[in-house]
Amino acid sequence: MKIIKADIIVCSPGRNFVTLKIYTDQGIYGLGDATLNGREKAVATYLEEYCIPCLIGKDPANIEDIWHYFYRGAYWKRGPVTMTAISAIDMALWDIKGKALDTPLYNLIGGKSRGKILVYSHAYGKDIEETVDVVGRQMEEGFHAIRAQSGIPGIDDVYGVSKADKPYEPAQRQLPKESLWETEKYLNHLPKLFKRLREVHGDDPHLLHDAHHRCTPVEASRLAKELEPYHLFWLEDPVSGELQEGLRLVRQHSVTPLAIGEVFNSIYDCTTLMTEQLIDYIRMPIVHGGGISHLLKVAAMASIYHIKTGFHGATDLSPVNLAASLHFDMAINNFGIQEYMPHQPVVNEVFQSDYYFDKGYMVIGDRPGLGVDIDEKAAKKFPYQRAYLPVNRKMDGTMFHW
Ligand code: GCO
Ligand code: MG
């Protein structure tokens, strides 16, 4: 089999998505997600200008060799743009292999380790009581695991909390919005939210929280320690991830389970975190973490250190990535949980998937490969529109992490 052509489909059904479609001389094609929120065209250009010309003529069966061709062969290794492009190629090649062998992806990477995939939802409210109510409603919908975020008195824009009467979507089609932040207010508020959640909903639901990289190690240590009585499933991104050693302090001070990695793009971003057992869940997604081939290595290394996966699954990761993630979740032993933020219904006009939600779990079908398709005619109805994630400043104007 030979690769004869590859196209990039950039569309915006409610939000931007970049999809790579690789064609073979046998009539089989494969899809890969190449969406990097707020930097979509950088990846599209990287693929178009540098990767696709080298793909033509290659045998798509040789996934590992092609992966290293674009990783080692580029000389400029790692980085989110490069690794998202490699991820898209890798996903599309696994999709082709599955279709060529007429078997779903999970069968190619170990078979079924479980029957269904535990997911967590997002609950948020303008204040503690509203968040507590929303968590209750999601429990009624069948969720066993729920991430809770709440508005904070004195802070106008809080990560993970939608003010408009529509689902949370941080990227906006205008220049970056500037938010103002004060960590002290957040640290004082958050333990009250989780105290109330346990009072009202008891011990059963798995509760999660995303600190979105905003604490210093000592602030994160205080937070993780004060949240201990409420037995979180995980505290996510307590500190900014680029300094792995920063997690040491948090670990020394608390037994609250820690998750990190949604902005990582290579195994080299988390070797200290793993070998020193500083985290409990690794969140690097397939779309930004080098694809299925690289994540198999990350997950294998994690398993040695009793670390589980908890893949990033926000709406800026397309249904192609979600399908790949669910197959992966199904196959590996050290799966922990999958983030599930359903895409808006308009997204289904473009992408046709083979997974569904059932009582707190995702279930996937048996279509070959990733089991997801794209309707290119429908995609054309939703042209790309530049959008940015917000930026964040401290109250005095200092630039801060968003
Ligand atoms: C999450 C993430 C997202 C990111 C978003 C950025 O845990 O789902 O933190 O909300 O902010 O994916 O593009
Ligand atoms: Mg997050």
Side-chain angles (χ1 to χ4, degrees), residues 300-313:
M301 182 167 177
S303 77
I304 294 167
Y305 295 98
H306 306 280
I307 295 163
K308 296 178 187 163
T309 60
F311 285 154
H312 187 199

Side-chain angles (χ1 to χ4, degrees), residues 37 122 147 159 210 212 236 262 283 312 314 316 339 389 402:
N37 207 3
H122 285 198
R147 184 187 97 163
Y159 161 76
D210 189 349
H212 221 250
E236 176 181 334
E262 66 180 43
R283 282 182 47 71
H312 187 199
D316 45 288
E339 181 177 15
L389 286 169
W402 173 69

Side-chain angles (χ1 to χ4, degrees), residues 70-77:
F70 288 110
Y71 182 80
R72 290 174 199 250
Y75 186 62
W76 311 110
K77 291 178 188 146

